[in-house]
Amino acid sequence: MASHVALDGALTRLVPTTENDLDLLASWFADSDFVEHWGGVPLSRQEVAEKYVGRRRPQVESFLVLAQGTAVGYAQYWHSDATEGGIDLVLTSGARGRGLGPDAAHALVTHLCSEHGWRRVTVDPASTNLRAVHAWEKAGFQRLAQEGPDLLMEWRPAG
């Protein structure tokens, strides 16, 4: 079920992360602004290596989000079962507010539904992260429930 292919959106391209991306990802995840809504605490290089450069395949698939060939964010998906799972996405501060998040989310959801047969995709942004909530809504996710500080949202194919 692994995805070792690039995924194209209209504005973004998602490429699988590799060990070669460790320096870039470690710098991002060490930035308090980048992780503000991703656990809230900067991560060590070792934590980034263990979690975000593809070492958790096939349970978790990790991607760099590119815009015009430049890395602007990180996305991942994980399986709940054969027909559903969740995605997470975070963009660098300079990439936010340009429609890149919804575009990358749409590319990822399209891939998961068409290539993996997923019938449900969930996300759980912090309810106070209004920018993210609106971006997920723009990508077609619907609000379901408040779960502590997080908002559970889902996307299901039409029909």
Side-chain angles (χ1 to χ4, degrees):
M1 297 200 39
S3 173
H4 301 289
V5 299
L7 310 176
D8 291 313
L11 302 172
T12 59
R13 179 167 232 229
L14 285 76
V15 297
T17 60
T18 69
E19 296 290 328
N20 293 333
D21 301 316
L22 180 55
D23 289 338
L24 174 64
L25 291 169
S27 71
W28 286 350
F29 281 101
D31 179 350
S32 59
D33 183 53
F34 190 80
V35 298
E36 177 183 6
H37 297 289
W38 189 290
V41 176
L43 302 177
S44 71
R45 182 181 178 81
Q46 181 178 343
E47 290 172 301
V48 173
E50 291 170 2
K51 294 181 179 182
Y52 303 117
V53 294
R55 294 183 186 176
R56 296 184 294 164
R57 289 184 180 117
Q59 296 84 3
V60 177
E61 292 291 331
S62 302
F63 297 88
L64 280 181
V65 178
L66 307 178
Q68 298 180 336
T70 300
V72 296
Y74 172 83
Q76 66 183 20
Y77 72 82
W78 46 269
H79 308 272
S80 293
D81 63 34
T83 63
E84 69 178 65
I87 62 177
D88 300 296
L89 184 126
V90 59
L91 298 176
T92 59
S93 59
R96 297 173 189 156
R98 299 174 20 206
L100 302 175
D103 184 74
H106 185 264
L108 195 50
V109 166
T110 298
H111 171 74
L112 293 170
C113 292
S114 65
E115 299 299 319
H116 295 279
W118 284 23
R119 301 177 53 93
R120 180 175 186 247
V121 181
T122 60
V123 296
D124 60 350
S127 60
T128 57
N129 186 353
L130 299 180
R131 180 180 288 221
V133 171
H134 292 290
W136 289 117
E137 288 175 331
K138 188 174 178 183
F141 284 79
Q142 304 292 317
R143 297 176 192 213
L144 288 182
Q146 183 84 28
E147 293 188 352
D150 298 329
L151 178 64
L152 180 63
M153 302 176 77
E154 75 172 359
W155 185 95
R156 290 182 183 263

